[in-house]
């Protein structure tokens, strides 16, 4: 899941281009009736279209620009991700309609910022950007019957003709039914006792408003909120697909008979030189445009996990490679047939750790853990890997993971020996990798997930 406090970076030059376009639209285009350009489509799966403020309709493509007043509509197979000029992110799920009603971002004058969306129908996910971080009272997401304000957050909302439901992955939202103290034209959270706060710390709960309600209710979350809320049949189908993906990934994560026979190449692993981890926060949101992404099977993330995203998001355009009871590593589907890696990919490559979420479990309970040093080296010519992690629990317990072995023809690798386990995969172009790990130490066990780039 994405964390609004650590926004993801756009492709080089994209932010500058969008800001320049916004300045041009506001400063020069207003006389011509132009609306500001505020976002770019960064991912498109299936079919979707944009209904422009001038009445025209265009089929969406990746890289398309979104303006204030645009309405993004997805088909039954459509899914759209948009990245805004302040690094906010919005995802529009199938059979949904979202309107960008207002988007003004001025880092020098936060009180002038205004972010306003309307989800007319369907499901959308909103992840706050800098405009909301600077002043959280300047955000509003409206639906036909209720409004959502934020306190800096990542949330999912589902709107239909009868109800609005929202869950929180990170932070806090305020949900209020429209009425005297909650007007659609306002900005920020609704005030009054009828509105309710919903936070990620509240666990498996969601905020709900039904037609005719004056007071928001906090009720048990529905697992299907990330998918489709329209019927038990589709809910059951999604759950079956998720169970099948998890089962497949767990089978792939187990070492093959040949891998068990070869075992861990400890000599190769011990030769690694680990680099100290200098990134301030490895436990940060996954990049939705990446080829590898961790999906979690539960709607609510585990404590201290900011890397994984809900399964329903991870599977869009991807398939599971390896998995455990909590997570699956999803990889973009291969375009066409042929060899997994290009013929030119025959060098030895050192990867750098980009994301990691870890914990330490012992008889005293579970606590957070961090990676203090790391290395992943892949020899594409020999189809082999070696990796090492230095681990530190919050209580001071340390652990060392060292593992090496072969990479299968499908890009998956798995090693297990006494006290440790590594199971992961490499992307089809060889530029990304990820693995889950376990390591016994200090009377307990380190567990976690990682993502790597080169």
């Amino acid at each position: 899941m994405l964390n609004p406090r650590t926004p993801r970076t756009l492709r080089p030059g994209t932010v500058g281009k969008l800001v320049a376009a916004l300045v041009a639209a506001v400063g020069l285009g207003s006389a011509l009736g132009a609306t500001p350009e505020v976002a770019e489509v960064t991912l498109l799966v299936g079919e979707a279209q944009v209904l422009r403020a001038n009445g025209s309709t265009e089929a969406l493509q990746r890289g398309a620009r979104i303006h204030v007043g645009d309405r993004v509509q997805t088909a039954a197979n459509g899914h759209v991700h948009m990245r805004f000029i302040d690094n906010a992110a919005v995802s529009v799920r199938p059979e949904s309609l979202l309107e960008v009603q207002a988007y003004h971002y001025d880092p020098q004058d936060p009180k002038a910022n205004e972010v306003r969306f309307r989800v007319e129908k369907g499901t959308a996910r909103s992840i706050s950007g800098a405009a909301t971080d600077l002043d959280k009272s300047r955000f509003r997401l409206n639906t036909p019957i209720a409004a959502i304000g934020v306190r800096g957050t990542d949330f999912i909302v589902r709107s239909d003709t009868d109800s609005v439901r929202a869950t929180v992955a990170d932070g806090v939202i305020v949900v209020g039914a429209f009425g005297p103290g909650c007007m659609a034209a306002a900005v920020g959270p609704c005030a009054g006792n009828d509105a309710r706060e919903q936070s990620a710390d509240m666990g498996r709960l969601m905020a709900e408003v039904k037609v005719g309600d004056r007071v928001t209710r906090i009720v048990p979350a529905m697992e299907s909120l990330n998918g489709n809320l329209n019927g038990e049949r589709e809910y059951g189908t999604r759950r079956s697909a998720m169970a099948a993906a998890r089962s497949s990934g767990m089978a792939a994560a187990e070492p093959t008979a040949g891998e068990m026979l070869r075992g861990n190449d400890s000599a190769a692993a011990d030769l690694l030189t680990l680099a100290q981890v200098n990134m301030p926060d490895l436990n940060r949101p996954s990049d939705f445009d990446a080829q590898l992404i961790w999906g979690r099977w539960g709607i609510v993330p585990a404590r201290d996990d900011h890397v994984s995203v809900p399964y329903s998001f991870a599977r869009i355009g991807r398939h599971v490679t390896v998995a455990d009871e909590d997570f699956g590593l999803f990889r973009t589907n291969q375009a066409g047939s042929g060899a997994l890696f290009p013929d030119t990919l025959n060098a030895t490559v050192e990867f750098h750790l980009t994301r990691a979420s870890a914990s330490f479990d012992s008889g005293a309970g579970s606590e957070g853990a961090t990676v203090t040093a790391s290395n992943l080296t892949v020899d594409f010519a020999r189809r082999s890997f070696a990796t090492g992690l230095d681990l530190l629990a919050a209580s001071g317990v340390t652990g060392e993971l060292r593992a090496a072995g072969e990479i299968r023809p499908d890009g998956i690798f798995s090693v297990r020996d006494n006290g440790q386990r590594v199971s992961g995969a490499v992307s089809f172009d060889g530029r990304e990798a990820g693995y889950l790990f376990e390591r016994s130490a200090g009377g307990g066990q380190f567990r976690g997930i990682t993502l790597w780039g080169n």
Side-chain angles (χ1 to χ4, degrees), residues 259 322 385 406-408 411-415 422-426 434-435:
E259 288 168 338
V322 299
F385 80 97
E406 295 185 1
I407 298 177
R408 302 173 195 169
I412 292 175
F413 52 89
S414 185
V415 169
V422 167
S423 295
V426 181
Y435 64 73

Side-chain angles (χ1 to χ4, degrees), residues 258-384:
E259 288 168 338
M260 290 294 290
L261 182 63
R262 288 187 294 271
N264 181 19
D265 187 356
S266 57
D270 288 342
L271 290 175
L272 292 175
T273 300
L274 272 61
Q276 294 297 310
V277 174
N278 296 320
M279 294 185 63
D281 186 12
L282 287 172
N283 189 11
R284 60 196 178 98
S286 289
D287 183 347
F288 275 101
D289 296 333
Q291 299 175 76
L292 293 175
I293 194 168
W294 285 100
R296 60 178 179 271
W297 310 119
I299 188 172
V300 179
R303 181 182 179 183
D304 296 328
D305 167 41
H306 297 294
V307 174
S308 70
V309 303
Y311 157 80
S312 295
F313 288 100
R315 68 175 180 149
I316 300 297
R318 299 180 176 90
H319 62 279
V320 73
T321 56
V322 299
D324 64 9
E325 287 289 351
D326 300 314
F327 309 102
L329 179 61
F330 286 77
R331 180 173 60 190
T332 51
N333 298 326
Q334 186 174 13
S337 58
L340 175 67
F341 302 119
D343 293 337
T344 54
L345 192 58
N346 54 19
T348 298
V349 178
E350 285 198 5
F351 288 74
H352 63 274
L353 187 63
T354 61
R355 287 169 177 81
S357 174
S359 63
F360 179 70
D361 302 323
S362 66
S366 179
E367 59 186 271
T370 57
V371 178
T372 59
S374 64
N375 188 306
L376 171 62
T377 299
V378 174
D379 186 336
F380 286 100
R382 293 181 172 83
R383 298 294 188 262
S384 65

